[in-house]
Structures are given as C-alpha cells and as structure tokens.
C-alpha cells in the first residue's frame, strides 16, 4: 500500500511537471529552413518606346531566376535572404545608340549594339523577431541592387502588433532607398558625337536646350500602414495605406524628347532627339487600398483587391483585381484572376514631336500617359503538407505555375508573364 501511494505521488508530481512544461512551451515561428526557387519569363511588345521619344519598338524579353531562403535562428527569430538575377534583351534600350548595329538606324528596329542586353542583380536580407506570446513582430531589412546605369541601397523595418486573440493585426513599416545613376545618355548627346560623320538632313543645332544632369542621386522614403481584421469565419479584410516621398534625379537620362517647334534632324531613318526627359526633382505619392477574402466553402474562395493612387505629378489611378482559388482535394488549387487598371496622364506628358521647347518639364514616356489595362491570369498550385517527395534532405512543400497576359487597351502594348516556383522544407 505504501508503495502504491509512493508511485501515485511520483506520478502526480510528474504530471504536474509535464503540465508546467506544456504551459511554458511555445511553438517555433518557423519550424525548419524553407527554400523558395522561382523563375519568371517576361516578354512585351509595343510601338511607343520612351527611349525614342514615344515612337518606336518596345520589344523586350527578360528571364529572372530568384532564390529565397528563410532560416529559423531559434524559436523566435528568422533570417531571410532573397537574391534575384534578371537578364534582359531590349530592342528599345538598344536604340540608346541606334548607329552601332549592322542595319540602317530605325526606331522600329533593334540595334545590335552593346546596349541591347544587360543584367540586373538584387539582394535583400531581412531579420524578424517575434515576442513570446507571438503578438509582436519586429523586422529589419537591407537591400542592394545594381545594373549598368543604376545602383540602389535600401534599408527599413516594420512593427506588427496582434490583438483581439490574433483576430486584429496592425503593421507599420518604413523603408529608405538611396540610389545613384550612372547615366547612359542617347548617343547624339554624348561628348565626341560628330554629326559631320553621318549623312544627315535637317537642323544642325538639333538640341539647343540640352545639358547633362548635375545631380545623379535619387532618394525614396516610404511609410506604410496596414490593418487586418478577421470579421467572421468566412470573411477577412485588410486596409492598406502607403506614402512615398522622392527627391533627386527622377528623370530617366536615356529617354529622348522631341519638340514640335524645332526642325527635325534625321540620320538614315532615325530622328535625333531634341532633349532628354526632364521631370521635377521631387514627387509625393499616396496609395490606399483594401484586400479581402471571402470563404464560400472548403473548395472556393473569392479574393478581391482595390487600390487608389494619386501623386503631385497629376496622375490618379484605380486598380481592381479579383482571384478565385478553386481547391481540388487537399493538394491541388487552380486560381484564375482578372485585373483592371486605369490612370490619368501626368501634367508633363506629351506625344512624339508635340512638346514645346519652352516648357520646363516634359516626357514622352507612355507609362506616364493616360491608359487603361487588362490582365488575365491563370495559376496552378500543388501543395503537399507531408513533404513526401525528398531531394537531398529537403522535402517538396509546393509547386506553383502561373501565366498572365497583359494588354493596354488605349495603346498598342501587350505582355506575357510566365512563372514557375518550388518551395522546399528542410527535414
């Protein structure tokens, strides 16, 4: 009897200790290392290239592989590293120097010179820490990006708070980007360009207003706020606001502008620019939006997105997007989507050969013009929560394939975007 009582007492003490350990236990923010591999292929075509003053080929192809690695440092901290390489071939940028190819210079024909191809590289590292109760998340990030005419350094952070049994989430984030141009001016504006080496027609003094930019810095400061709320078992919504201030060289140095009050100068089939794009050295942007999810049943979800954007350059825009994920069992999801976008033009936009040489600011970049756009998408995702397929100590969590077709209804411009992604989890 005494032994029985002793064993019972030991069992009770053990249970109490186990219960205490269970109370103090906290789930890791990230159980194991995750690796995301993504590759995208982008092509576009159009006839309003900004490099040639809003008139010319916009053919471009780009392939961009990227890798993202999220590493749990302990129960509370995560380190994430994101690296992307983007290699593109651009008929538009090739005409920065249209005279270095093997055919007659023409805005609608790509030059085969050195500016036809380039590579962009970006690297971002971020660190996040979650509190013991998982109601506070603090994060910080640093980034670097570089291509042939542009270098960018960035840093920032965010603070996330969860309330109301994690049904409410508020996030405040801030980022700063300090960028530097290495301008690749159109060939006719460069020192050493000699008009007399070519058979030309028109005005000899084709660029009376031209001068190189003195300051080559571009700085961006952004502040964002988001509030997410679970309204019911079937509805979740979030409100988003972003405010951005930019200063410095906001013009793109290799984009030509043509004046309507100056005689044209031609070499072969190419018109020499009268100046490059000139835009104000400051800009403020404000965007507010809503993202909501409506769970119809276990197989159907409706996701909606709306954003209103405005800036002090005169652009106002509206974005609408709807996505309909359809689940087939536990492992498969098909998600068609549609996006509509419309914007007004900037105060400084003018079409090819219509701008006045007396204006202070001007651009013929159709990204800053008035237009409407549609995007149609279809994606497929395979998800395996058990990670049954293994590769070298990593289990395959998901495969994602997506295709989008984009068109501007008010301009002759279209694009195709394809992407393939894999997510692996360390055993």
């Amino acid at each position: 009897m005494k032994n029985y009582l002793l064993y019972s007492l030991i069992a009770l003490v053990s249970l109490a200790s186990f219960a205490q350990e269970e109370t103090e236990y906290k789930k890791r923010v990230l159980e194991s290392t995750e690796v995301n591999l993504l590759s995208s292929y982008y092509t576009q075509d159009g006839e309003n290239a900004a490099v040639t003053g809003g008139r010319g080929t916009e053919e471009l192809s780009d392939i961009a592989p990227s890798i993202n690695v999220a590493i749990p440092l302990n129960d509370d901290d995560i380190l994430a590293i994101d690296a992307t390489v983007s290699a593109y071939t651009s008929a538009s940028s090739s005409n920065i120097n249209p005279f270095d190819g093997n055919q007659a210079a023409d805005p609608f024909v790509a030059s085969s010179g050195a500016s036809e191809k380039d590579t962009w590289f970006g690297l971002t590292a971020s660190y996040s820490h979650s509190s013991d109760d998982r109601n506070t998340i603090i994060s910080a990030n640093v980034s670097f990006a570089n291509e042939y005419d542009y270098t960018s350094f960035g840093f920032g952070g965010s603070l996330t708070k969860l309330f109301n049994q994690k049904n409410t989430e508020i996030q405040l984030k801030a980022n700063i980007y300090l960028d530097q141009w290495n301008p690749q001016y159109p060939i006719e504006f460069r020192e050493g360009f000699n008009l007399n080496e070519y058979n030309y027609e028109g005005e000899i003094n084709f660029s009376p207003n031209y001068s190189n930019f003195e300051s080559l810095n571009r700085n961006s400061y952004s502040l964002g706020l988001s509030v997410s709320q679970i309204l019911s078992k079937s509805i979740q919504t979030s409100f988003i606001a972003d405010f951005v201030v930019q200063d410095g060289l906001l013009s793109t140095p290799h984009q030509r502008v043509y004046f309507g009050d100056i005689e044209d100068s031609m070499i072969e089939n190419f018109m020499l620019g009268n100046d490059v794009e000139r835009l104000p050295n400051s800009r403020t942007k404000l965007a507010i939006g809503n993202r909501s999810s409506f769970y119809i049943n276990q197989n159907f979800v409706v996701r909606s997105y709306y954003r209103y954007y405005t800036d002090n350059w005169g652009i106002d825009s509206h974005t609408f997007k709807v996505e309909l994920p359809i689940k087939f069992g536990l492992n498969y999801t098909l998600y068609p989507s549609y996006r509509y976008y419309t914007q007004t033009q900037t105060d400084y936009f003018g079409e090819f050969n219509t701008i006045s040489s007396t204006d202070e600011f001007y651009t013929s970049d159709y990204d800053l013009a008035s237009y409407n756009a549609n995007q149609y998408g279809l994606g497929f995702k395979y998800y395996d929560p058990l990670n049954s397929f293994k590769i070298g100590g990593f289990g395959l969590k998901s495969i994602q394939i997506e295709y989008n077709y984009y068109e501007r209804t008010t301009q002759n411009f279209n694009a195709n975007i394809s992407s393939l992604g894999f997510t692996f989890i360390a055993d």
Side-chain angles (χ1 to χ4, degrees):
M1 185 66 178
K2 290 182 179 179
N3 290 337
Y4 178 80
L5 291 174
L6 178 61
Y7 296 150
S8 299
L9 181 60
I10 293 174
L12 288 172
V13 172
S14 299
L15 286 172
S17 299
F18 180 77
Q20 184 177 5
E21 289 174 2
E22 284 291 285
T23 301
E24 295 176 352
Y25 170 78
K26 58 181 179 181
K27 186 178 179 179
R28 292 170 66 92
V29 178
L30 183 65
E31 291 295 333
S32 56
T33 299
E34 285 194 9
V35 178
N36 291 282
L37 303 176
L38 177 67
S39 181
S40 64
Y41 181 65
Y42 173 89
T43 62
Q44 70 174 44
D45 197 7
E47 52 189 35
N48 298 112
V51 171
T52 45
R55 175 178 172 270
T57 178
E58 294 180 84
E59 275 191 77
L60 182 146
S61 62
D62 177 272
I63 184 168
S66 65
I67 181 172
N68 174 272
V69 181
I71 305 169
L73 302 178
N74 50 50
D75 289 349
D76 306 322
D77 303 322
I78 298 174
L79 174 65
I81 300 173
D82 194 335
T84 301
V85 177
S86 175
Y88 69 83
T89 300
S90 170
S92 174
S93 65
S94 75
N95 281 323
I96 293 174
N97 182 2
F99 310 116
D100 61 355
N102 300 319
Q103 69 286 315
D106 191 307
F108 290 96
V109 177
S111 172
S112 56
S115 56
E116 181 186 17
K117 300 178 181 179
D118 191 46
T119 300
W120 176 92
F121 171 75
L123 179 66
T124 300
S126 61
Y127 165 84
S128 66
H129 170 79
S130 297
S131 62
D132 290 340
D133 60 8
R134 302 297 185 251
N135 288 329
T136 303
I137 304 170
I138 301 172
S139 70
N141 65 81
V142 293
S143 64
F144 170 79
N146 183 71
E147 58 182 316
Y148 75 107
D149 65 343
Y150 202 79
T151 302
S152 175
F153 295 93
F155 56 93
S158 68
L159 172 64
T160 304
K161 296 288 291 185
L162 288 85
F163 306 92
N164 189 23
Q165 297 181 336
K166 295 183 171 58
N167 288 319
T168 305
E169 178 182 308
I170 299 176
Q171 183 185 73
L172 181 66
K173 61 181 180 179
N175 286 282
I176 297 175
Y177 297 95
L178 307 175
D179 306 336
Q180 181 78 23
W181 282 98
N182 177 26
Q184 305 297 306
Y185 296 108
I187 187 64
E188 61 266 39
F189 300 126
R190 298 182 192 177
E191 184 177 350
F193 178 80
N194 186 356
L195 189 62
N196 294 317
E197 294 179 0
Y198 301 88
N199 294 322
Y200 68 89
E201 298 177 1
E203 177 63 52
I204 296 178
N205 188 19
F206 59 88
S207 57
N209 295 356
Y210 179 78
S211 63
N212 287 351
F213 292 104
E214 295 182 2
S215 175
L216 302 179
N217 297 320
R218 171 185 288 184
N219 304 320
S220 301
Y221 313 91
S222 67
L223 187 66
L225 173 68
S226 66
V227 179
S228 301
Q229 179 66 49
I230 298 176
L231 300 177
S232 67
K233 292 181 179 180
S234 58
I235 302 176
Q236 181 176 349
T237 189
S238 62
F239 295 91
I240 308 161
D242 290 290
F243 180 68
V244 178
V245 175
Q246 293 181 295
D247 63 58
L249 179 52
L250 305 184
S251 308
T252 304
H254 56 254
Q255 295 186 170
R256 293 177 176 87
V257 166
Y258 296 92
F259 298 139
D261 54 353
I262 292 181
E263 182 184 356
D264 299 337
S265 297
M266 301 287 297
I267 295 178
E268 298 170 348
N269 299 321
F270 196 91
M271 187 184 299
L272 302 179
N274 300 132
D275 200 358
V276 295
E277 176 181 83
R278 306 280 176 178
L279 292 169
N281 60 6
S282 65
R283 187 180 188 183
T284 58
K285 308 177 183 180
L286 175 65
I288 55 176
N290 174 264
R291 191 186 305 273
S292 297
S293 297
F294 306 88
Y295 297 87
I296 309 302
N297 54 46
Q298 62 180 1
N299 295 321
F300 295 94
V301 179
V302 177
R303 294 173 179 163
S304 67
Y305 174 75
Y306 168 74
R307 187 188 76 154
Y308 169 71
Y309 166 92
T310 186
D311 65 29
N312 66 337
W313 285 8
I315 294 180
D316 294 295
S317 73
H318 300 272
T319 305
F320 304 88
K321 183 178 180 180
V322 61
E323 185 177 276
L324 181 62
I326 306 169
K327 291 188 176 181
F328 298 92
L330 180 63
N331 300 102
Y332 306 98
T333 302
L334 189 70
Y335 51 98
S337 65
Y338 169 72
R339 178 181 180 269
Y340 174 76
Y341 178 82
T342 181
Q343 76 170 36
T344 60
Q345 73 179 32
T346 179
D347 299 334
Y348 316 114
F349 176 79
E351 295 184 353
F352 175 82
N353 222 15
T354 64
I355 294 170
S356 172
S357 62
T358 60
D359 292 342
E360 182 180 7
F361 302 116
Y362 32 76
T363 180
S364 291
D365 185 350
Y366 273 74
D367 287 343
L368 302 177
S370 174
Y371 68 88
N372 305 318
N374 297 309
Q375 181 171 303
Y376 310 90
L378 183 63
F380 172 79
K381 184 175 183 179
Y382 166 77
Y383 176 73
D384 180 9
L386 301 178
N387 315 132
S388 54
F389 182 76
K390 309 290 184 181
I391 299 179
F394 285 85
L396 178 63
K397 181 178 180 180
S398 67
I399 301 174
Q400 193 162 342
I401 304 171
E402 189 170 330
Y403 170 76
N404 286 275
Y405 174 74
Y406 173 89
E407 63 176 359
R408 291 183 180 176
T409 59
T410 50
Q411 301 166 18
N412 189 18
F413 179 92
N414 61 80
N416 297 274
I417 312 105
S418 303
S419 62
L420 174 64
F422 299 88
T423 299
F424 295 92
I425 298 180
D427 291 341

